[in-house]
Amino acid sequence: PGSRTCSCNRGYKGDGVSCSARNMCAFKHGNCSKYARCTSGPLVPSDDNADEEVIAAGDVRCACNNGYDGDGQTCDMINLCATTQPCAENADCEMLAAGVPPKCTCKDKFEGDGVNKCTRIDVCLSANGGCDLDNADCLMSEDGNRTCTCHEH
């Protein structure tokens, strides 16, 4: 009698008699970004998740992780410093990692927490700003520099 040959359909692996879904995410993370979740088909949404997309066997879906934006194959960190301006006036903003609040640091000649407030440091309040204690006045300028003015005798 005749012979037959069995093979698994696309997206499945096995001898053709017994086939199981191939995890396409196991190879090169499904070509998703390292900052993305990879989901391998087949995936049929359950009644609880009816808004999920059907993924056919052999296909993958890539979705950027929290704190990243993109198409899943390319994911860039969302720069909260540029989009939300979380720091106080006169503070520098630095993104350290995705999904976490940025670091806010008061600029030179300012003090404070960087988030709520940065106020100019008045150098004249400490030791007369380095001016002669008995013979000069210390004046703070708008740019944070100090001027020593000698007393007239």
Side-chain angles (χ1 to χ4, degrees), residues 29-57:
H29 195 54
N31 289 324
C32 298
S33 165
K34 68 179 182 177
Y35 303 112
R37 291 176 308 283
C38 179
T39 306
S40 181
L43 177 69
V44 179
S46 65
D47 291 338
D48 295 337
N49 296 322
D51 59 336
E52 279 186 346
E53 183 181 356
V54 173
I55 303 174

Side-chain angles (χ1 to χ4, degrees), residues 6 22 28 70 104 144:
C6 298
R22 185 182 302 265
K28 292 187 178 181
C104 299

Side-chain angles (χ1 to χ4, degrees), residues 42-153:
L43 177 69
V44 179
S46 65
D47 291 338
D48 295 337
N49 296 322
D51 59 336
E52 279 186 346
E53 183 181 356
V54 173
I55 303 174
D59 287 345
V60 297
R61 292 295 178 268
C62 304
C64 295
N65 296 333
N66 289 337
Y68 290 88
D69 190 33
D71 62 7
Q73 291 182 327
T74 303
C75 297
D76 297 311
M77 184 168 50
I78 296 170
N79 185 348
L80 297 175
C81 293
T83 59
T84 64
Q85 299 172 341
C87 300
E89 185 177 353
N90 297 310
D92 293 319
C93 185
E94 180 185 6
M95 287 297 301
L96 300 176
V100 298
K103 179 181 178 185
C104 299
T105 309
C106 292
K107 293 181 179 182
D108 189 37
K109 299 182 183 179
F110 289 86
E111 63 185 354
D113 66 5
V115 176
N116 298 304
K117 186 160 94 170
C118 289
T119 54
R120 185 171 300 284
I121 298 170
D122 188 344
V123 295
C124 292
L125 296 177
S126 175
N128 201 29
C131 301
D132 186 286
L133 292 171
D134 298 321
N135 300 308
D137 292 322
C138 179
L139 248 66
M140 262 307 269
S141 63
E142 285 293 317
D143 63 4
N145 293 316
R146 61 120 171 101
T147 304
C148 297
T149 307
C150 293
H151 296 156
E152 292 186 24
H153 293 279

